[in-house]
Amino acid sequence: MVGVSAQTVFDRLAGPQSLNRMLYDAATAARQKARGAGVDKQNAFTQSWLFTGPPGSGRSVAAKAFAAALVCSNPEVVGCGRCEDCRLALVDAHGDIVHIIPHELTISVDRMREVIGSAATQPTVANWRVIIIEDADRLSDGAANALLKTVEEPAERTIIILCSPSTDPHDIAITLRSRCRHVYVPTPSAESVTRILMAEGGISEDAARLAAASSGGHIGRARHLAHNQAAQIRRANILNLAELIYHGDQAFRTVNTLVKGIEAESRDALAEVEKAESDKLMVSLGMGTRGKGAQKLLRGTTGQLKDLEKTQERRRTRFLRDALDLSLVDLAGIYRDALLISSGAGISLTHPDFEGLSRELAERVGNEGLVACLDAISVCRESFGFNVRPIVAMDALVGRLRKAYRVS
Ligand SMILES: [Zn+2]
């Protein structure tokens, strides 16, 4: 086995071949190192990594494939994708891989201390213990500092992979960044996304193409859209909003329904994990015990219960904001399509199935109005960062769009 072939986990990645090859070489070097053998490509071996790329580019998929290759036990192929270790790694169930996917807006110092603890232990079955920290841009300053030493000098058998949107100091502490080898995972082309969806199966070529086009190279979204009816309906609803802007009341009602729908979805999606957290806390606090100390205990624990509630609340907010943000990206796509149509540029549309509506908007709203629509969407997306209530931000958006359409 030399190089990356159709038989490795790297073949499932949408990234460029050069990137897949580099990761394959690194995993191979790590295996040689772990066996005490000479390493063919000495500079391929690194223990601290930083994977960056825009959301949906597949940076976490790449990190996971790399982790699988590091724990792979197939003696012939590095990262075979078929052995027990690869399969467990790819479904996030491998005992030697710690995969941190933060649900909160920030990753706390305490959480990071746990991670650092496991990073210091030897792997159980595999050659390496692999720590993946997704959304490392959410590390609090304290958490980033706590992690610094581990990243600088990982334990002998530990490999650390941080994932972050970019190397911008706002996203990742310079101190952490400078101690890692950097890998950039670019946004895949619509063709790559189509190819991956088709390879995964269960979908027609047309549906794969449409999902790939309207997700702007975001694989996770494309996959979700291709297979999830609720997502298809939400997309259609937000795109139809571009038409309803002409009919004020209906537009306000639509955004209201949208926000409520996502709120309900976030409650459903997070209910299980929230209940498990509450139960765990109750048990660890000894709640439900009777006797003398119980009342006193109860008073002392209100703080911890409140903290948990706050964390859960923040997570729901983040879920809602992220989902709304994606809907706004969809909506922006239709105005961009309208601009493309009126400029006569022969570039493929983001929402080819809504071409009729884009044509109509190109005619009725005009270029200046369309640019104002895109600005209005940017303002709305930014306002989520300032903790404006989602429904307020969305209502304001409808108001601005109506202005851009010159109907108010
Ligand atoms: Zn394997």
Side-chain angles (χ1 to χ4, degrees):
M1 168 74 199
V2 265
V4 184
S5 81
Q7 296 151 345
T8 78
V9 284
F10 299 110
D11 182 60
R12 304 179 190 181
L13 302 180
Q17 279 300 312
S18 56
L19 171 68
N20 299 346
R21 159 75 61 163
M22 192 268 274
L23 292 176
Y24 173 81
D25 285 346
T28 306
R31 177 178 286 192
Q32 290 166 336
K33 191 96 177 173
R35 286 180 179 164
V39 176
D40 292 340
K41 298 183 180 171
Q42 197 52 249
N43 56 8
F45 179 71
T46 310
Q47 278 177 274
S48 297
W49 295 81
L50 170 62
F51 283 44
T52 67
S57 59
R59 61 168 196 250
S60 54
V61 181
K64 217 151 109 173
F66 184 46
L70 288 169
V71 298
C72 173
S73 52
N74 185 322
E76 322 267 307
V77 185
V78 176
C80 68
R82 298 180 303 278
C83 72
E84 176 85 3
D85 291 280
C86 275
R87 282 191 288 123
L88 287 173
L90 293 171
V91 295
D92 258 341
H94 197 287
D96 284 325
I97 301 178
V98 179
H99 191 175
I100 309 293
I101 307 172
H103 293 292
E104 297 80 17
L105 289 171
T106 55
I107 307 178
S108 68
V109 182
D110 289 347
R111 185 87 197 276
M112 218 18 64
R113 294 224 169 94
E114 282 171 33
V115 175
I116 292 164
S118 48
T121 58
Q122 288 275 329
T124 320
V125 291
N127 288 327
W128 296 97
R129 176 166 288 273
V130 186
I131 312 284
I132 306 176
I133 302 177
E134 300 254 2
D135 300 325
D137 54 313
R138 296 189 205 171
L139 287 165
S140 66
D141 289 348
N145 275 332
L147 187 64
L148 203 53
K149 189 145 176 41
T150 308
V151 168
E152 188 165 37
E153 266 177 78
E156 200 189 341
R157 283 302 178 88
T158 298
I159 288 181
I160 297 172
I161 307 170
L162 304 178
C163 301
S164 145
S166 79
T167 56
D168 186 298
H170 288 296
D171 284 341
I172 187 95
I174 297 171
T175 43
L176 277 178
R177 190 250 168 280
S178 65
R179 285 160 176 80
C180 294
R181 178 160 171 202
H182 177 215
V183 173
Y184 177 68
V185 184
T187 300
S189 64
E191 276 90 287
S192 304
V193 175
T194 307
R195 179 170 56 77
I196 288 173
L197 291 181
M198 303 270 301
E200 288 171 355
I203 182 174
S204 73
E205 184 172 348
D206 283 349
R209 275 193 192 292
L210 180 61
S214 58
S215 313
H218 191 305
I219 302 174
R221 284 204 69 205
R223 188 180 291 125
H224 186 64
L225 189 60
H227 298 285
N228 183 303
Q229 205 187 4
Q232 291 159 11
I233 293 171
R234 179 173 306 151
R235 168 177 174 269
N237 285 343
I238 191 78
L239 295 182
N240 280 317
L241 178 67
E243 161 70 31
L244 294 179
I245 292 298
Y246 286 112
H247 318 277
D249 283 359
Q250 290 184 46
F252 287 111
R253 267 205 300 279
T254 298
V255 292
N256 202 9
T257 311
L258 178 79
V259 172
K260 288 226 171 84
I262 299 175
E263 272 169 350
E265 195 184 310
S266 83
R267 273 195 301 276
D268 290 351
L270 300 173
E272 204 171 312
V273 52
E274 286 182 2
K275 181 164 186 322
E277 283 170 347
S278 306
D279 290 352
K280 196 172 151 201
L281 182 62
M282 294 300 220
V283 169
S284 78
L285 293 174
M287 299 286 251
T289 55
R290 291 164 197 277
K292 269 186 181 178
Q295 215 38 41
K296 196 172 154 201
L297 191 69
L298 194 66
R299 275 199 300 277
T301 55
T302 335
Q304 292 187 54
L305 287 173
K306 278 226 168 78
D307 284 350
L308 179 61
E309 273 168 26
K310 264 192 215 149
T311 304
Q312 294 180 339
E313 170 96 43
R314 273 202 304 270
R315 190 192 293 147
R316 282 194 295 261
T317 306
R318 178 161 188 119
F319 185 102
L320 176 62
R321 278 184 358 196
D322 287 354
L324 278 176
D325 197 57
L326 288 177
S327 283
L328 291 178
V329 171
D330 278 343
L331 183 63
I334 203 141
Y335 295 119
R336 213 171 296 118
D337 283 353
L339 277 170
L340 284 174
I341 287 170
S342 74
S343 73
I347 303 167
S348 45
L349 300 180
T350 302
H351 303 297
D353 52 338
F354 277 75
E355 188 180 341
L357 179 54
S358 315
R359 284 199 179 282
E360 185 194 324
L361 292 170
E363 242 171 66
R364 290 179 73 181
V365 181
N367 280 359
E368 206 178 306
L370 291 169
V371 171
C373 290
L374 288 170
D375 285 346
I377 291 173
S378 298
V379 169
C380 183
R381 293 181 69 194
E382 274 166 28
S383 72
F384 290 151
F386 299 117
N387 284 327
V388 176
R389 278 181 55 221
I391 188 65
V392 175
M394 294 300 286
D395 279 348
L397 172 66
V398 171
R400 288 200 181 90
L401 290 175
R402 284 175 58 79
K403 231 181 202 150
Y405 281 39
R406 293 181 300 268
V407 286
S408 74

